Amino acid sequence: MSVPLSQSSENDQLFCWEQILKTFPIYQISNRYSAEVNSDRLLALHALLSALDQIGTDISDASVAKYKLEWWHRNCVVNSPDECDHPVVRELVRTGAMEKIPSADFSALLALVWARVDSEPHPDLTSLRAECEKVGILCFSLEARVCGVDEFDTNAVSGLAAQSGFLSLASRSGCAWVPMNALARHGLSRDAVEGRLTSPAVDQLFRE
């Protein structure tokens, strides 16, 4: 159950917005269409997703990423989140969102972030789509749960989840995910794409 805003809570909400705007500014639009009763919960949830996405995207040292993910696991799964002093966790608790997120789902979310840090590049579009679908379905599930919907048909949303997962990952990370076989087909290297080099081959890749 959500509790009224105090000055401290207002500061925590501001922190959540600042966190989201670092990685997912388009959320400003979708937040306007959420029901008022769910708005604060969804804000806290997306701030959490944003903070975790930064770990999976911005940290190149796997040991540092692992340390940060272990911190989230320790403070939100192993220990009571009520005792955590992080602004995002405080908002998750205050709004009642945290109590609606099963520990297994929270752990699965951390595992997906770790997989982005500690995995090889996707070899093909099938592999990329599979990961995007997992991300999309889990995010749909978390949003549904914090809004009070405990079950929904994952098969019915799998295609949309794959697209949502890809757009979420791409927009949050500010990058495009390209399967390795697509690079090979156009005779390109990862450095050429990551360096945003302009060439007919790069142009054709992104038109594809």
Side-chain angles (χ1 to χ4, degrees), residues 7-74:
Q7 182 60 52
S8 175
S9 297
E10 289 183 0
N11 292 339
D12 289 346
Q13 279 199 336
L14 179 60
F15 181 96
C16 287
W17 271 116
E18 290 174 346
Q19 174 61 59
I20 291 171
L21 293 177
K22 291 177 183 177
T23 62
F24 198 38
I26 198 172
Y27 181 70
Q28 293 179 94
I29 298 174
S30 60
N31 178 262
R32 296 178 184 177
Y33 294 93
S34 60
E36 185 176 354
V37 68
N38 296 322
S39 181
D40 287 355
R41 291 177 180 175
L42 289 170
L43 174 65
L45 173 63
H46 280 274
L48 169 67
L49 297 177
S50 173
L52 295 180
D53 280 337
Q54 279 196 298
I55 297 174
T57 301
D58 295 348
I59 300 176
S60 57
D61 188 326
S63 63
V64 175
K66 183 179 181 181
Y67 175 84
K68 288 181 174 291
L69 291 173
E70 287 176 344
W71 183 93
W72 284 99
H73 183 264
R74 183 171 61 254

Side-chain angles (χ1 to χ4, degrees), residues 1-4 37 41 91-100:
M1 177 180 296
S2 179
V3 299
V37 68
R41 291 177 180 175
E91 269 301 281
L92 286 166
V93 171
R94 183 192 70 81
T95 61
M98 183 65 83
E99 66 187 37
K100 294 181 175 294

Side-chain angles (χ1 to χ4, degrees), residues 112-126:
L112 283 176
V113 176
W114 175 245
R116 290 170 58 190
V117 175
D118 190 42
S119 64
E120 296 297 320
H122 291 284
D124 52 43
L125 190 58
T126 300

Side-chain angles (χ1 to χ4, degrees), residues 135-155:
V135 171
I137 286 177
L138 181 56
C139 288
F140 277 160
S141 174
L142 292 173
E143 286 192 329
R145 287 185 184 280
V146 302
C147 292
V149 179
D150 292 329
E151 295 183 4
F152 64 94
D153 185 356
T154 57
N155 292 323

Side-chain angles (χ1 to χ4, degrees), residues 73 76-78 98 100-110:
H73 183 264
C76 297
V77 178
V78 176
M98 183 65 83
K100 294 181 175 294
I101 302 175
S103 296
D105 283 2
F106 203 107
S107 296
L109 181 61
L110 297 178

